[in-house]
């Protein structure tokens, strides 16, 4: 050993050091400060913690070994609802202070901006709820730092009680003591409440008068079991509820709500009850139990006792578990087995949240209301998820996820992306974060637009983002496009239009940190193309900031335009006509239930190009196939025909022989896209039908054919571009069979395949992709 070492002063292990620690992520309103307080006390460290603009700031002082132990435990013992994105540690000067404090945000001179997502009742609170000796026994609004409403009860930042709808309920001394004690589970739990000081549940009749009963919850259960329709106030809005095992009650709900066909979600007590209804995989069970408690679309068990009309003609059921104490109380009654819990709205209108609004809008639907006096300040539907090809996928990203951010692979200046038309979700971006709004429904009318504006105001306030640029869909006729242009003009902001399918693929790329180029497989219903036609079956060569069209499904006419979306038999005639079949002879008409006159009129329309826009949509190809195979003449909800085609094939092997598609034409150097033709596919399908092949088998062959056609097109794209990465997106990626066939087919060809994980592949994810494209375009300009 070198002598110089011996002359150094030995390190004094007990000499104090001080470290400043900045923790970013979801760390506010989730019990992070009390956890840090407890850890610091246990390690006998001095210092403080306070909320900061983008996270929490901690300073700790003590022996180095203790400080290091604290930093290690910070990661491993973080509270369940928190998510640590980064921890930055820097050295600070030792101050000699003693004791550890939790300081108010003002002390740090910065505003905290975080509002956490709503979270399901935690096991500790559930135990108290059902414990007769607890002071909160059967109290429907109990919560703690590990659970409870957040986003939906908050008016503005910072997330403190006076800014929430709990402001009008002053805490009693017992609740206040919990709130002030850093070692209590309810330390700074903003919605903390009890029987003595908090909100109350009431039973209200259809005419709006309160019904005097001893226990409104038990009275509501009695009514549900008698077959009545109850409107039940939840976390993000009202639910309409009926006994899910009562066929007549379910039918009455459908009639009153004017909602036929579209499946209804069912809530059950716990996992054991969910297993009685559905065949659940481990991934599906994990998804059901996440704090967001989404509706999970899972395979239904035969003879599970659920009314036929809950999910007519489908092999899946949307099932979910209670997430609010009031819901747990309903299921604590042993008589309650399964309840339909569907958003309380008419068709695609926003969900009702206000007591008065609910009484007027739902008075004609509900027989009675189970209400309470805590206001919901943000509408938020239940989230919907499914396990697709072994991985969780969000169909609808709402309660429990909003307003959590999703990462971008590059910095964005403050911007607003307004999304699309159906299933609208907008997004605000700043830096590397994109904050998507809750699911807002279809942006077709003023009610939808009002909800959009109300929600935008709220999120802009919440995150203090003032957009400099507004991003919209290329479609000139979308209400969202018109609104974006007007809003940007009034404020003198920049505008960027993004092609619908470029945004879809860019979203998938950005989620995986890719900037391209990649081969984008885009399988969707509707999107406005750069040539003014309706796209939706596309092979794109994509970068975040731009794309080229390599191939697409051959254009076919949509006779009757949007009528062809509501009436798949029209699409079938369009497809068969384009594939060269004579659609007027009797056998074809009989297949589609079309009259002689209908097929004659449609033929003329298509031949003369009257009201028959051209489309390359895969969604419309699915519609056409469902019309031919299943005789599906009209649809009650979007994508119904495609969902039924997938449904009928559910038990078929994946190895089923594929119908073929033909690739033709195209000149990549001249940017002339290749065409994916469906003639051979239709010939194969019609032959099988004629030969009496079973319909599930035909549906499986159809899926296999579509997947094989797009895999072949990707192989062609790789041959000329050398690109080996494929990103898949679009609404058709919700189709489990198609997603799996595509992934396995592409991997067998040696591709690296990327799919959505945090945002929806459908139009609900569009605004995230729009933000990614705009960020890349703006970065290039700088
Ligand atoms: Zn709790
Ligand atoms: Zn209290
Ligand atoms: Zn789309």
């Amino acid at each position: 050993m070198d002598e110089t070492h011996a002359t150094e002063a030995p390190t004094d292990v007990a000499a104090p050091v001080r470290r400043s620690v900045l923790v970013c992520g979801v760390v506010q309103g989730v019990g992070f400060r009390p956890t840090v307080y407890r850890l610091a006390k246990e390690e006998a460290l001095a210092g403080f913690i306070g909320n900061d603009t983008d996270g929490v700031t901690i300073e700790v002082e003590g022996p180095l070994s203790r400080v290091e132990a604290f930093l290690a435990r910070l990661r491993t013992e973080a509270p369940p609802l928190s998510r640590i994105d980064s921890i930055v540690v820097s050295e600070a000067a030792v101050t000699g202070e003693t004791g550890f404090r939790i300081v108010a945000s003002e002390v740090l001179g910065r505003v905290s901006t975080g509002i956490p997502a709503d979270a399901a009742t935690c096991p500790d609170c559930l135990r108290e709820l059902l414990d007769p000796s607890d002071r909160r026994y059967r109290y429907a609004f109990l919560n703690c730092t590990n659970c409870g409403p957040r986003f939906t009860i908050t008016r503005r930042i910072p997330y403190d009680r006076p800014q929430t709808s709990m402001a009008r309920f002053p805490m009693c001394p017992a609740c206040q003591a919990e709130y002030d004690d850093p070692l209590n589970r309810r330390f700074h739990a903003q919605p903390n409440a009890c029987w003595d000081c908090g909100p109350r549940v009431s039973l209200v009749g259809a005419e709006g008068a309160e019904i005097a009963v001893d226990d409104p919850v038990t009275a509501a259960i009695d009514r549900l079991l008698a077959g009545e329709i109850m409107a039940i106030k939840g976390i993000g809005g009202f639910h309409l509820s009926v006994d899910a095992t009562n066929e007549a009650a379910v039918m009455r709900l459908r009639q009153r709500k004017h909602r036929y066909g579209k499946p209804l979600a069912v809530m059950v007590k716990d996992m054991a009850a969910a297993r009685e209804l559905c065949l659940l995989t481990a991934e599906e069970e994990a998804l059901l139990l996440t704090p967001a408690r989404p509706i999970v679309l899972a395979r239904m068990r035969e003879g599970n006792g659920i009314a036929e009309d809950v999910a007519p003609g489908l092999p899946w059921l949307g099932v979910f578990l209670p997430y609010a104490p009031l819901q747990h109380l309903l299921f604590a009654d042993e008589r309650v087995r399964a309840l339909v819990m569907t958003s309380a709205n008419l068709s695609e209108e926003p969900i009702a949240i206000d007591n008065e609004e609910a009484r007027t809008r739902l008075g004609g639907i509900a027989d009675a209301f189970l209400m309470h006096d805590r206001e919901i300040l943000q509408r938020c539907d239940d989230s919907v998820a499914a396990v697709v090809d072994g991985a969780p996928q969000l169909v609808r990203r709402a309660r429990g996820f909003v307003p959590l951010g999703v990462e971008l692979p590059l910095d964005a200046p403050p911007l607003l992306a307004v999304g699309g038309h159906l299933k609208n979700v907008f997004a605000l971006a700043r830096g590397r974060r994109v904050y998507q709004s809750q699911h807002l429904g279809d942006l077709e009318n003023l009610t939808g637009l009002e909800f959009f504006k109300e929600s935008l105001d709220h999120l802009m306030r919440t995150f203090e983002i003032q957009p400099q640029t507004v991003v919209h869909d290329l479609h000139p006729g979308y209400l969202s496009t018109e609104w974006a242009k007007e809003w940007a003009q009034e404020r003198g902001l920049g505008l960027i239009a993004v092609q619908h399918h470029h945004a879809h693929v860019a979203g998938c790329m950005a989620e995986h940190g890719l900037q391209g180029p990649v081969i984008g497989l885009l399988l969707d219903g509707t999107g406005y193309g750069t040539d003014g036609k309706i796209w939706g079956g596309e092979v794109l060569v994509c970068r975040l900031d731009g794309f080229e069209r390599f191939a697409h499904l051959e254009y076919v006419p949509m006779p009757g335009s949007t009528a062809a979306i509501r009436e798949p038999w029209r699409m079938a005639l369009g497809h068969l006509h384009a594939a060269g079949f004579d659609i007027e002879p009797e056998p074809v008409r009989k297949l589609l239930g079309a009259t002689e006159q209908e097929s004659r009129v449609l033929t003329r329309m298509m031949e003369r190009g009257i009201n028959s826009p051209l489309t390359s949509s895969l969604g419309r190809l699915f519609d056409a196939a469902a019309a031919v195979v299943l005789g599906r003449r009209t649809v009650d909800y979007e994508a119904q025909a495609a969902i039924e085609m997938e449904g009928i094939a559910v038990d078929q092997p994946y190895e089923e022989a594929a119908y073929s598609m033909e690739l033709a034409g195209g000149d990549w150097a001249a940017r002339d896209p290749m065409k994916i033709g469906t003639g051979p596919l239709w010939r194969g399908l019609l032959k099988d039908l004629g030969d009496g092949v079973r319909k599930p088998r035909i549906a499986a062959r159809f899926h296999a054919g579509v997947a094989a056609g797009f895999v072949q097109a990707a192989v062609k794209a790789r041959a000329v571009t050398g690109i080996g990465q494929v990103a898949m997106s679009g609404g058709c990626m919700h189709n489990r069979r198609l997603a799996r066939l595509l992934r396995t087919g592409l991997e067998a060809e040696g591709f690296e395949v990327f799919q959505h994980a945090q945002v929806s592949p459908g139009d609900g994810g569009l605004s995230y992709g729009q933000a990614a494209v705009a960020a890349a375009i703006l970065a290039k300009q700088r």
Side-chain angles (χ1 to χ4, degrees):
M1 180 181 272
D2 194 311
E3 268 190 352
T4 51
H5 276 130
T7 61
E8 272 181 26
T11 309
D12 180 2
V13 287
V17 298
R18 192 176 179 93
R19 296 285 184 270
S20 173
V21 188
L22 177 65
V23 187
C24 289
V26 181
V27 289
Q28 295 182 6
V30 291
F32 205 79
R33 290 175 302 164
T35 300
V36 167
Y37 178 89
R38 183 175 50 79
L39 293 180
K41 288 276 179 197
E42 284 172 13
E43 296 296 341
L45 297 172
F48 66 85
I49 176 170
N51 281 343
D52 202 339
T53 316
D54 291 310
V56 295
T57 291
I58 306 166
E59 291 203 7
V60 278
E61 184 170 320
L64 183 62
S65 61
R66 294 269 186 171
V67 169
E68 280 175 349
F70 168 84
L71 290 173
R73 291 179 68 188
L74 194 58
R75 282 190 186 277
T76 53
E77 296 179 36
L81 294 179
S82 68
R83 189 191 74 205
I84 296 176
D85 291 340
S86 67
I87 298 182
V88 180
V89 182
S90 50
E91 291 195 17
V94 172
T95 65
E97 79 175 317
T98 53
F100 193 87
R101 296 168 297 142
I102 295 178
V103 297
S105 311
E106 303 84 74
V107 176
L108 293 172
R110 286 167 290 223
V111 186
S112 69
T113 57
I115 298 180
D118 303 300
T121 308
C122 74
D124 289 331
C125 285
L126 185 55
R127 208 171 301 121
E128 292 169 353
L129 180 72
L130 304 175
D131 175 2
S133 69
D134 193 274
R135 75 182 188 97
R136 289 190 178 84
Y137 176 57
R138 290 182 69 82
Y139 181 59
F141 303 90
L142 88 173
N143 63 84
C144 71
T145 47
N146 297 324
C147 73
R150 304 281 194 273
F151 173 71
T152 49
I153 57 163
T154 305
R155 204 180 303 274
R156 63 178 69 86
I157 56 158
Y159 171 63
D160 277 327
R161 194 170 177 107
Q163 318 284 5
T164 71
S165 56
M166 289 301 291
R168 51 177 284 236
F169 302 100
M171 276 182 277
C172 67
C175 286
Q176 186 71 49
E178 295 166 338
Y179 184 91
D180 291 335
D181 175 5
L183 294 176
N184 192 288
R185 207 172 89 239
R186 297 194 162 92
F187 175 74
H188 281 216
Q190 303 305 342
N192 190 25
C194 74
W195 282 111
D196 292 335
C197 63
R200 291 297 182 104
V201 173
S202 59
L203 187 71
V204 173
E207 327 70 34
E210 186 166 341
I211 303 168
V213 285
D214 283 347
D215 176 8
V217 175
T218 306
I221 294 168
D222 291 342
R223 284 166 173 260
L224 283 166
L225 294 173
E228 287 194 18
I229 300 172
M230 293 294 302
I232 301 173
K233 192 170 182 178
I235 297 295
F238 277 81
H239 282 114
L240 285 167
S241 183
V242 292
D243 176 356
T245 62
N246 184 331
E247 197 78 55
V250 173
M251 213 39 230
R252 220 151 46 82
L253 174 62
R254 285 198 178 278
Q255 281 158 358
R256 290 204 192 158
K257 212 186 163 196
H258 303 297
R259 175 163 154 167
Y260 304 95
K262 196 169 181 177
L264 303 166
V266 171
M267 186 179 274
V268 289
K269 180 179 183 160
D270 50 23
M271 194 57 76
R275 287 187 194 123
E276 282 175 25
L277 300 195
C278 295
L279 299 152
L280 297 168
T281 64
E283 291 87 356
E284 285 164 341
E285 292 195 359
L287 203 48
L288 276 169
L289 284 175
T290 55
R293 291 288 193 280
I295 295 168
V296 175
L297 306 173
R299 188 70 199 278
M300 215 176 325
R301 220 180 253 284
E302 296 265 337
N304 61 10
I306 295 299
E308 200 76 35
D309 264 310
V310 168
L314 294 180
W316 305 284
L317 181 68
V319 64
F320 62 149
L321 301 178
Y323 52 84
L326 183 57
Q327 296 160 351
H328 281 291
L329 288 177
L330 292 171
F331 285 98
D333 189 314
E334 278 171 13
R335 295 173 297 164
V336 180
R337 183 163 171 245
L339 296 175
V340 165
M341 290 285 240
T342 182
S343 292
N345 55 1
L346 282 166
S347 66
E348 281 298 317
E349 272 185 20
I351 185 170
I353 53 171
D354 187 51
N355 290 5
E356 206 36 61
E357 177 193 13
R359 275 194 285 260
T360 31
R361 276 172 57 189
L362 307 175
I365 305 177
D367 296 311
F369 295 83
L370 190 58
M371 295 236 184
H372 60 71
D373 53 356
R374 183 177 68 197
E375 259 185 288
I376 298 170
L377 296 174
Q378 277 302 304
R379 286 167 218 278
C380 209
D381 277 284
D382 293 315
S383 292
V384 182
V387 173
V388 176
D389 195 13
Q393 185 191 78
L394 284 171
V395 179
R396 182 163 80 195
R397 192 177 186 276
R399 181 188 46 75
F401 293 97
V402 179
L404 301 181
V406 182
E407 204 81 10
L408 274 183
L410 74 177
D411 280 323
L415 61 84
L416 162 67
V418 299
H421 184 60
L422 299 176
K423 303 185 171 69
N424 186 268
V425 168
F426 68 80
L428 288 167
R430 180 183 53 203
R432 296 250 164 162
R433 291 239 144 235
V434 177
Y435 301 99
Q436 280 203 298
S437 74
Q438 66 271 53
H439 163 87
L440 302 175
D442 296 351
L443 217 51
E444 283 189 308
N445 48 41
L446 288 178
T447 327
L449 192 62
E450 281 311 311
F451 183 17
F452 175 95
K453 289 197 268 192
E454 160 195 314
S455 182
L456 176 62
D457 274 351
H458 181 253
L459 270 197
M460 277 173 57
R461 272 202 312 271
T462 303
F463 292 108
E464 294 187 320
I465 294 177
Q466 287 299 328
Q468 297 164 8
T469 306
V470 185
V471 195
H472 61 85
D473 193 271
L474 197 60
H475 198 304
Y478 279 2
L479 198 55
S480 61
T481 302
E482 287 172 24
W483 181 88
K485 287 181 174 168
E486 221 170 277
W487 200 75
Q489 198 174 15
E490 282 168 12
R491 287 162 182 74
L493 309 176
L495 264 179
I496 294 177
V498 180
Q499 199 277 327
H500 190 93
H501 301 127
H502 180 206
H504 270 308
V505 176
C508 182
M509 293 167 66
E511 267 199 62
H512 294 284
L514 303 173
Q515 302 212 32
V518 303
I519 296 169
L521 288 193
L522 189 285
L523 309 164
D524 203 23
T526 299
Y528 189 79
T530 51
D531 57 0
K533 297 187 172 68
I534 300 162
W535 294 9
E538 315 295 316
V539 181
L540 309 175
V541 175
C542 264
R543 301 172 312 281
L544 277 189
D545 63 359
F547 74 98
E548 308 286 347
R549 198 180 191 198
F550 178 82
H552 62 84
L553 276 181
E554 198 150 24
Y555 284 128
V556 300
M558 293 170 65
S561 191
T562 49
I565 299 177
R566 291 191 305 270
E567 299 174 21
W569 67 275
R570 289 172 179 263
M571 266 333 292
L573 286 179
H575 260 286
L576 293 174
H577 180 72
F581 290 90
D582 184 355
I583 58 172
E584 291 190 48
E586 215 245 327
V588 179
R589 285 194 286 104
K590 214 176 139 200
L591 209 55
L592 302 171
T595 65
E596 202 176 339
Q597 198 195 344
E598 279 174 336
S599 67
R600 198 171 50 236
V601 170
L602 258 59
T603 307
R604 302 299 164 267
M605 275 170 73
M606 291 189 283
E607 280 169 355
R608 292 174 197 167
I610 301 163
N611 196 21
S612 300
L614 295 179
T615 185
S616 57
S617 158
L618 180 63
R620 298 292 86 78
L621 176 60
F622 263 93
D623 287 351
V628 172
V629 180
L630 308 176
R632 167 60 63 197
R633 209 177 133 85
T634 59
V635 291
D636 298 315
Y637 58 95
E638 208 219 344
Q640 180 179 8
I643 291 169
E644 287 172 347
M645 273 298 270
E646 184 197 350
I648 193 173
V650 72
D651 287 325
Q652 293 302 117
Y654 280 83
E655 298 73 28
E656 208 68 76
Y659 299 133
S660 30
M661 309 265 263
E662 69 196 336
L663 303 180
D667 180 353
W668 176 240
R671 295 296 184 260
D672 171 27
M674 184 178 281
K675 312 291 184 297
I676 308 171
T678 56
L681 177 142
W682 284 112
R683 281 192 290 280
L685 188 153
L686 291 172
K687 180 173 183 308
D688 273 358
L689 261 186
D691 291 350
V693 174
R694 286 171 55 249
K695 289 179 177 181
R697 188 147 186 229
I698 295 179
R701 286 184 168 182
F702 172 80
H703 279 81
V706 169
F710 279 92
V711 171
Q712 280 161 31
V715 169
K716 298 267 186 199
R718 179 175 58 189
V720 293
T721 61
I723 300 167
Q725 291 183 321
V726 175
M728 303 198 288
S729 189
C732 301
M733 294 309 297
H734 290 314
N735 183 316
R736 300 159 173 81
R737 176 169 287 265
L738 189 62
R740 178 164 154 186
L741 285 166
L742 281 165
R743 199 230 344 129
T744 50
L746 288 163
E747 284 178 354
E749 290 289 349
F751 285 103
E752 191 184 356
V753 184
F754 298 91
Q755 301 192 56
H756 286 276
Q758 297 181 72
V759 302
S760 164
D763 284 5
L766 201 64
S767 57
Y768 171 74
Q770 289 175 338
V773 172
I777 290 174
L778 292 167
K780 211 168 158 187
Q781 287 171 2
R782 277 199 300 274

